[in-house]
Amino acid sequence: MWMKTVFWGLLLFMLVATTMAVEYGARSHNSGPWSWCDPATGYKVSALTGCRAMVKLQCVGSQVPEAVLRDCCQQLADINNEWCRCGDLSSMLRSVYQELGVREGKEVLPGCRKEVMKLTAASVPEVCKVPIPNPSGGGAGVCYWAAYPDV
């Protein structure tokens, strides 16, 4: 008899928990620490102008001046929420693509393909030793979106 009671109690609990999750958007892409980085919630995306310059220079194989590297790393470190750093880099990269009128598989700049620029931008946290959420361990790393084709 007690097994039936436990079963019905768990079933009722699951029903209530599922209803609450749907109501409060727990399965939404806007839940979790990264939701604080959404411009729709008032978050101001950083332009990362120093990183724009650094990524463009690195992608074409040019030497990056120390001042440009320092500016980029400082701008990235100034983003208080480490969950927002990769998102801001992704936004910066999309704006570079838009500015240059880049299409998939094309050169972004002479001698620099889109895929190379994407990997260069994604590795900025590692180059700067600025922490980002990294499930594989460690404090710095490569932005997760480097593995996805639509960035």
Side-chain angles (χ1 to χ4, degrees):
M1 180 69 178
W2 68 273
M3 288 296 281
K4 281 185 179 181
T5 305
V6 169
F7 172 77
W8 287 110
L10 285 173
L11 187 62
L12 179 62
F13 172 77
M14 292 301 292
L15 179 64
V16 170
T18 303
T19 304
M20 289 178 66
V22 169
E23 178 70 25
Y24 294 105
R27 298 191 64 197
S28 164
H29 70 283
N30 286 331
S31 63
W34 55 90
S35 66
W36 303 315
C37 309
D38 186 354
T41 64
Y43 174 75
K44 184 174 175 1
V45 176
S46 175
L48 298 174
T49 54
C51 295
R52 286 174 76 94
M54 185 179 98
V55 166
K56 287 178 180 179
L57 287 168
Q58 278 186 330
C59 193
V60 296
S62 295
Q63 182 69 29
V64 176
E66 186 64 34
V68 173
L69 176 63
R70 189 175 41 252
D71 286 348
C72 173
C73 294
Q74 186 60 56
Q75 289 168 3
L76 194 61
D78 285 346
I79 299 170
N80 291 330
N81 185 340
E82 66 184 37
W83 286 91
C84 301
R85 291 176 179 151
C86 285
D88 285 10
L89 281 167
S90 177
S91 293
M92 179 270 304
L93 189 60
R94 283 193 303 274
S95 73
V96 169
Y97 294 161
Q98 185 177 22
E99 168 192 320
L100 300 171
V102 176
R103 303 260 186 260
E104 186 65 41
K106 301 285 183 180
E107 282 191 330
V108 179
L109 298 166
C112 173
R113 294 189 58 80
K114 184 177 180 182
E115 297 82 14
V116 174
M117 183 172 272
K118 179 172 90 170
L119 291 173
T120 302
S123 66
V124 168
E126 180 64 32
V127 170
C128 292
K129 301 297 183 223
V130 174
I132 59 172
N134 186 351
S136 63
V142 176
C143 294
Y144 67 91
W145 46 258
Y148 298 103
D150 62 341
V151 175

